[in-house]
């Protein structure tokens, strides 16, 4: 028997032993929004909140088997994808998701390099990436990642290129001119600028994963992309302000109790 509910959200990402990023961080975020997090592992990493040693990639056929057995049991409308080995693997994953649910909403968090300098993605075939972008709901790079997606282009050119294919949430944590200001590009509309609302926040391991997961959880709850982006920003700031350490605390987040 298949379970049908918008409370199930799937994370396809890496396993971080510190639980600050990747699968475990995504699931904590989903559950803070009242959802149930399902997970498919793409990589077993050797890391903690300050040090990254290695990524041991899960074979593509095993990733697909994990996806298949979850869709056999659950109705999944929204999926968040984190680190993958390369664009070829990602394209295969997207193909399989679309077979199971042609209308599935995919949020792609393009994790290309760890803060410690380890590079994840093994190739940069732009034609494959173009095809992927056409089939997803939104991509959520930060200012460092967006420069690596299309290295031959400027940031402005890359924004224009991406938004011809899909929606873009550009995370502002690495924005040197306006720290913490996010910009969201949706369906050719005027960019939505999300400025910081809290005066005191602290750097957190995995904050990019948290924002993308909060975005997925808000979309699964039926909010528009604009309102989902606002909620994701609010939740991430709550996470950043939760304590002074590198590992943040996830707190229950009611969509009704926070103004848009």
């Amino acid at each position: 028997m298949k379970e049908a509910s918008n409370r199930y959200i799937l994370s396809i990402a890496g396993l971080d032993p510190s639980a600050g990023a990747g699968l475990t961080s995504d699931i904590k975020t989903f559950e803070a929004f009242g959802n149930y997090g399902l997970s498919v592992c793409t990589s077993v990493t050797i890391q903690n909140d300050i040090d990254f040693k290695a990524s041991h990639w899960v074979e593509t056929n095993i990733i697909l088997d994990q996806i298949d057995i979850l869709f056999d049991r659950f109705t999944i409308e929204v999926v968040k994808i984190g680190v993958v080995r390369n664009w070829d693997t990602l394209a295969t994953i997207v193909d399989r998701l679309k077979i199971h649910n042609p209308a599935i909403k995919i949020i792609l968090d393009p994790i290309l390099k760890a803060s410690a300098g380890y590079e994840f993605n093994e190739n940069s075939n732009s034609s494959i990436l173009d095809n992927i972008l056409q089939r997803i709901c939104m991509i959520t790079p930060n200012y460092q990642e967006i420069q690596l997606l299309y290295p031959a282009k400027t940031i402005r050119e890359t924004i224009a290129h991406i938004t011809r294919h899909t929606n873009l949430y550009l995370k502002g944590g690495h924005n040197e001119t306006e720290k913490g200001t996010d910009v969201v590009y949706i369906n050719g509309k005027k960019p939505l600028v999300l400025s910081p609302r809290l005066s005191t926040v602290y750097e957190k391991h995995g904050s990019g994963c948290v924002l993308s997961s909060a975005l997925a959880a808000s979309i699964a709850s039926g909010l528009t992309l604009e309102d989902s982006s606002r909620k994701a920003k609010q939740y991430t700031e709550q996470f950043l302000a939760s304590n002074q350490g590198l590992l943040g605390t996830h707190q229950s987040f009611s969509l009704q109790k926070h103004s848009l």
Side-chain angles (χ1 to χ4, degrees), residues 169 179-182 193-201 227 229-238 240-241 253 257-260:
Y169 189 119
K179 183 83 170 175
T181 296
D182 303 346
V193 178
L194 299 175
S195 301
R197 294 159 61 108
L198 299 182
S199 58
T200 303
V201 295
D227 287 345
S229 298
R230 294 187 180 98
K231 292 299 183 183
K233 177 70 171 178
Q234 291 170 17
Y235 182 81
T236 304
E237 286 197 323
Q238 174 181 293
L240 292 172
F253 187 85
K257 292 181 179 179
H258 293 77
S259 64
L260 295 173

Side-chain angles (χ1 to χ4, degrees), residues 45-64:
T45 68
I46 311 301
Q47 67 172 305
N48 55 33
D49 57 329
I50 61 172
D51 196 14
F52 192 101
K53 296 294 186 182
S55 173
H56 297 279
W57 298 108
V58 175
E59 294 297 327
T60 303
N61 65 305
I62 297 176
I63 294 173
L64 298 179

Side-chain angles (χ1 to χ4, degrees), residues 118-214:
Y118 184 92
E119 294 188 9
F120 291 105
N121 204 294
E122 293 181 350
N123 67 35
S124 56
N125 189 320
S126 59
S127 63
I128 297 176
L129 178 56
D130 286 350
N131 181 263
I132 291 168
L133 293 178
Q134 293 170 18
R135 294 183 290 159
I136 67 173
C137 177
M138 182 171 277
I139 187 170
T140 63
N142 60 36
Y143 272 81
Q144 292 178 340
E145 291 161 344
I146 198 168
Q147 295 177 69
L148 297 173
L149 291 173
Y150 294 93
K153 300 180 185 296
T154 65
I155 290 181
R156 179 172 294 182
E157 291 170 340
T158 298
I159 290 172
H161 182 81
I162 289 174
T163 53
R164 283 195 291 269
H165 297 296
T166 192
N167 302 299
L168 168 66
Y169 189 119
L170 183 55
K171 295 179 285 195
H174 296 86
N175 184 347
E176 294 181 0
T177 57
E178 294 182 89
K179 183 83 170 175
T181 296
D182 303 346
V183 185
V184 187
Y185 303 83
I186 298 173
N187 297 326
K189 298 177 182 178
K190 181 180 178 181
L192 173 63
V193 178
L194 299 175
S195 301
R197 294 159 61 108
L198 299 182
S199 58
T200 303
V201 295
Y202 307 95
E203 181 181 354
K204 290 287 180 287
H205 173 54
S207 58
C209 298
V210 169
L211 188 142
S212 300
S213 299

Side-chain angles (χ1 to χ4, degrees), residues 23-111:
L23 293 175
T24 42
S25 176
D26 293 347
I27 289 173
K28 290 176 186 179
T29 305
F30 296 158
E31 295 194 346
F33 279 77
N35 304 111
Y36 188 93
L38 306 169
S39 62
V40 166
C41 186
T42 59
S43 168
V44 177
T45 68
I46 311 301
Q47 67 172 305
N48 55 33
D49 57 329
I50 61 172
D51 196 14
F52 192 101
K53 296 294 186 182
S55 173
H56 297 279
W57 298 108
V58 175
E59 294 297 327
T60 303
N61 65 305
I62 297 176
I63 294 173
L64 298 179
D65 286 346
Q66 293 177 79
I67 291 172
D68 290 343
I69 199 166
L70 289 177
F71 275 88
D72 286 345
R73 172 67 172 148
F74 304 102
T75 297
I76 303 168
E77 303 292 343
V78 178
V79 58
K80 180 251 175 155
I81 302 178
V83 68
V84 292
R85 190 169 189 168
N86 50 46
W87 297 143
D88 291 309
T89 302
L90 178 57
T92 301
I93 291 170
V94 172
D95 286 343
R96 185 59 60 91
L97 292 171
K98 290 291 186 177
I99 288 172
H100 284 293
N101 181 357
I104 197 165
K105 295 180 175 67
I106 300 172
I107 309 302
L108 173 61
D109 189 22
I111 302 171

